[in-house]
Amino acid sequence: SSDLEDRERFDAVLGKLGLRRPAAGIARSVDEAVKIADGIGYPVLVRPSYVLGGRAMMTCFNEDELRGYGELAIEAAREAGTQILLIDQFLKNAIEVDVDCVCDGKRAVIGGVMQHIEEAGVHSGDSTSVLPPHTLDLDLVGEIEDVVRKIAVEIGVVGLMRSEERRVGKECRS
């Protein structure tokens, strides 16, 4: 898998570049997911890793919801060939954007920054987005583009890359 698909490697890339992100963890069982969620604080966004189309993704507001949903999420992950659940801090009042970029490994060019109409947490395959972003000022769009360029060059992308970012105010969350 690429650095962007492997959560632990991607977290290391973000750390190296000094980029902020929501609190997150990786669980391989429901009990481990509960421990991570307790450390992050509810609500949390829970999804099985490597599952296409946002399948089996859910926002859990307490331990009972997480325990009730966790087994279904692990089963979806198993069907995708893993048993990994991604647990992320749920960002309230967030704005989500998708960024398309093409890179030759050394230079990254942004094709567009698309803002989701729906609130953050709706999977991009189920959302509607607009170009250009309709509520973000040019400085913030420029910051988003810079972050995506840094990531693409750091991991040596050759070809197309799509990045999803969630933002709360001026705080970058990747």
Side-chain angles (χ1 to χ4, degrees):
S1 67
S2 76
D3 286 335
L4 292 179
E5 291 172 330
D6 184 309
R7 181 58 67 98
E8 291 166 327
R9 279 193 259 161
F10 183 56
D11 191 59
V13 167
L14 294 179
K16 179 179 179 183
L17 295 174
L19 301 174
R20 296 178 302 256
R21 65 277 196 194
I26 299 170
R28 290 168 178 83
S29 70
V30 174
D31 286 339
E32 193 174 350
V34 168
K35 286 179 189 173
I36 291 168
D38 286 344
I40 292 172
Y42 290 94
V44 291
L45 184 65
V46 182
R47 56 204 158 120
S49 189
Y50 300 106
V51 173
L52 297 177
R55 184 171 154 252
M57 179 172 71
M58 182 173 180
T59 302
C60 297
F61 290 87
N62 56 53
E63 181 178 334
D64 289 341
E65 286 184 2
L66 179 53
R67 286 195 179 277
Y69 163 72
E71 288 301 329
L72 295 173
I74 285 183
E75 183 57 35
R78 281 190 193 119
E79 289 174 11
T82 183
Q83 190 171 322
I84 296 172
L85 297 183
L86 305 176
I87 316 296
D88 292 297
Q89 173 188 6
F90 182 80
L91 302 176
K92 298 172 186 166
N93 302 315
I95 294 169
E96 188 162 354
V97 297
D98 291 337
V99 183
D100 283 340
C101 120
V102 65
C103 185
D104 64 3
K106 297 177 183 169
R107 180 172 174 245
V109 177
I110 303 298
V113 177
M114 297 156 281
Q115 182 178 347
H116 287 213
I117 299 297
E118 296 83 3
E119 63 187 39
V122 174
H123 189 271
S124 59
D126 297 323
S127 69
T128 303
S129 58
V130 294
L131 177 71
H134 62 287
T135 66
L136 305 179
D137 63 48
L138 290 177
D139 289 340
L140 190 53
V141 173
E143 182 184 339
I144 292 168
E145 291 175 346
D146 289 345
V147 165
V148 172
R149 281 190 200 98
K150 286 178 185 176
I151 292 170
V153 170
E154 177 63 31
I155 66 171
V157 169
V158 176
L160 179 66
M161 180 180 93
R162 168 160 284 179
S163 174
E164 294 182 18
E165 293 193 19
R166 292 168 185 87
R167 298 187 153 266
V168 178
K170 293 251 179 192
E171 278 189 85
C172 177
R173 306 289 195 196
S174 296

